[in-house]
Amino acid sequence: MYWSLELASHLEDAPWPATKEELIDFAQRSGAPAEVVENLQEIEDEGDVYDSIEDIWPDYPTKEDFFFNDEEY
């Protein structure tokens, strides 16, 4: 499974919280790239409900990851 910011952006408007099947359905209906659907299909699912992309992609970058701190440099 490979996620990128571009691929994850196709799930921003998904109906969170959602199950794996609901996310796959949303991705297909919204015209997301095939890679998004493939990534969602690869999730090991036990009927879980996901609250956000962070539940699917734990390394999803947050705003803090892009925040430039002058004091650090």
Side-chain angles (χ1 to χ4, degrees):
M1 179 168 38
Y2 169 78
W3 285 104
S4 68
L5 287 176
E6 180 183 351
L7 293 177
S9 71
H10 292 281
L11 295 177
E12 287 178 355
D13 296 328
W16 303 104
T19 64
K20 172 183 171 179
E21 296 307 318
E22 291 171 332
L23 292 171
I24 291 171
D25 181 58
F26 172 81
Q28 290 171 334
R29 286 186 296 109
S30 64
E35 293 89 348
V36 174
V37 175
E38 291 168 6
N39 284 344
L40 291 170
Q41 290 172 337
E42 289 181 21
I43 295 172
E44 292 183 21
D45 185 40
E46 298 176 6
D48 296 332
V49 175
Y50 302 99
D51 292 319
S52 66
I53 188 67
E54 288 90 351
D55 289 346
I56 297 169
W57 183 21
D59 295 331
Y60 181 76
T62 63
K63 290 180 183 176
E64 289 80 31
D65 293 332
F66 296 103
F67 182 71
F68 183 77
N69 186 346
D70 288 330
E71 293 175 9
E72 290 182 11
Y73 297 97

